Amino acid sequence: MGRIDTTFAPIPTSLMKEWGQDITYIKTSTPRTYNPTTGAVTGADTNVTVKAVITRVNPRESEGLYQTTDLKIIIGTDELGTYYPTEADRVQYQQAGATREAKIIAITTYRGDNPVYHSLIVRPQ
């Protein structure tokens, strides 16, 4: 384990416990299959409840590439372990008393030998 792992890996865990809110991280299943005859798509998703911090995307950090409704979601290593998010995955979160779903459009993983935390840009659907 690298020095980054031993020094910084515990920090997101304590921040998520204190400041995070529960969201549902939806891992897309192994390759989905499409049956052109029936139109059915097969494959199941895996839902994981995780703690995350949700913030707005600052236009200066995104070089103006994102919409004003896009959000940044920060998830620590205790939440996803060694799993690396993909753009095929989704998240569900509570906003104004309603459950919203968002598509992941950008991922930045900060890591040493293992992930320390993931910063996701998501677009509500």
Side-chain angles (χ1 to χ4, degrees), residues 23 54 66 76 80-81 89 95:
I23 68 168
I54 301 175
Y66 300 119
L80 293 179
D89 297 340
Q95 182 181 38

Side-chain angles (χ1 to χ4, degrees), residues 15 24 26 29 34-35 40 49 56 64 68-70 72 78-81 88 90 94 103 121:
L15 291 174
T24 301
I26 304 167
S29 67
Y34 173 71
N35 182 329
T49 300
R56 294 269 179 211
T68 57
T69 57
D70 291 345
K72 180 188 286 188
D78 272 4
E79 284 68 34
L80 293 179
R90 303 176 313 281
Q94 293 293 315
K103 179 180 181 342
I121 305 296

Side-chain angles (χ1 to χ4, degrees), residues 94-114:
Q94 293 293 315
Q95 182 181 38
T99 300
R100 310 262 184 205
E101 188 166 303
K103 179 180 181 342
I104 298 172
I105 58 173
I107 304 160
T108 304
T109 297
Y110 298 90
R111 60 172 298 214
D113 293 333
N114 296 304

Side-chain angles (χ1 to χ4, degrees), residues 81-101:
T82 58
Y83 179 81
Y84 283 84
T86 70
E87 291 178 356
D89 297 340
R90 303 176 313 281
V91 296
Q92 288 181 339
Y93 58 95
Q94 293 293 315
Q95 182 181 38
T99 300
R100 310 262 184 205
E101 188 166 303

